[in-house]
Amino acid sequence: MKTSKFDIADYLDSKEMIAEYLNTALENGNNQDVINAIGHIAKAIGMTKISEETGLSRPSLYKALSDGAKPQFATIMKVLKAIGGQIHINPTA
């Protein structure tokens, strides 16, 4: 029996699912979890499309969003905009 590797990007097929996934990473994860989540979302949407919208090359995107990467905040903001996301601040209780 052959199995395939699980890839969360295969399940990020709607704006609602993408938003829920990223919000969960922001609420419960650390910096690397958030970067990885943004990378998974970019992969689900398509790195070529994200590359075109951000002006960043595909290799640069893969490098910036890879495990262990420490991308600049400007890169994260460009990718968030390209994936249709935004940062919202809510006061904590």
Side-chain angles (χ1 to χ4, degrees), residues 13-24:
D13 55 3
S14 69
K15 289 182 180 185
E16 294 77 18
M17 184 66 79
I18 288 170
E20 187 63 33
Y21 178 60
L22 186 53
N23 283 329
T24 299

Side-chain angles (χ1 to χ4, degrees), residues 2-44:
K2 184 173 176 148
T3 61
S4 60
K5 184 177 177 186
F6 175 79
D7 189 349
I8 189 67
D10 294 336
Y11 299 91
L12 300 173
D13 55 3
S14 69
K15 289 182 180 185
E16 294 77 18
M17 184 66 79
I18 288 170
E20 187 63 33
Y21 178 60
L22 186 53
N23 283 329
T24 299
L26 286 164
E27 290 172 16
N28 301 316
N30 59 30
N31 294 349
Q32 194 59 55
D33 294 331
V34 173
I35 293 166
N36 288 340
I38 292 170
H40 294 146
I41 294 166
K43 182 179 175 189

Side-chain angles (χ1 to χ4, degrees), residues 80-91:
L80 280 176
K81 185 176 180 182
I83 64 175
Q86 61 181 325
I87 295 177
H88 235 14
I89 305 299
N90 294 317

